[in-house]
Amino acid sequence: MGFSTSTERDQLYQRLGEIRERVQQLSELMARQCEVWESDAREWQRLQRHKHDLAEWLVDEATNDNGTIVEPRVDAALGGEPFVPCTIRTIVNGKRYCLTLVSTCYDVKEI
């Protein structure tokens, strides 16, 4: 590969340097973004566990030992909670339930 002038060679090296710098910037950006995604994924998993635990508690409060709903409205006392799921579908002890937020209470029905 021959260059007709040293100016062409210098321009090529300059362009190559710019490309390497851009690749480095993008690599750093990807690393920072990966940290954010991992943090968001951990938070999402935490919220999913919270939702699952809340659903189990609500079903436990609303049903008797046979899983029959005896209290169709349970006050979850979620005031001030940063994450309040509006509808939860869950299976507890082999029975399917739909929990729907109504004010600060959930209506519980077997589905």
Side-chain angles (χ1 to χ4, degrees), residues 22-79:
R22 183 66 180 145
V23 166
Q24 179 64 31
Q25 290 171 350
L26 290 173
S27 294
E28 291 169 3
L29 177 62
M30 286 174 56
R32 285 191 305 271
Q33 192 62 49
C34 187
E35 290 174 9
V36 170
W37 289 337
E38 288 173 356
S39 174
D40 289 348
R42 282 190 300 274
E43 179 64 7
W44 175 252
Q45 290 171 344
R46 186 190 71 77
L47 293 174
Q48 290 299 97
R49 283 190 304 273
H50 172 69
K51 183 171 116 176
H52 176 76
D53 293 345
L54 175 61
E56 282 190 349
W57 179 82
L58 288 166
V59 169
D60 186 53
E61 291 293 309
T63 61
N64 62 17
D65 291 340
N66 298 324
T68 303
I69 295 172
V70 293
E71 184 61 49
R73 185 162 286 189
V74 176
D75 186 351
L78 296 174

Side-chain angles (χ1 to χ4, degrees), residues 2-15:
F3 298 102
S4 50
T5 66
S6 63
T7 303
E8 287 177 342
R9 184 181 59 230
D10 292 344
Q11 288 174 345
L12 180 63
Y13 284 132
Q14 180 181 356
R15 182 70 181 130

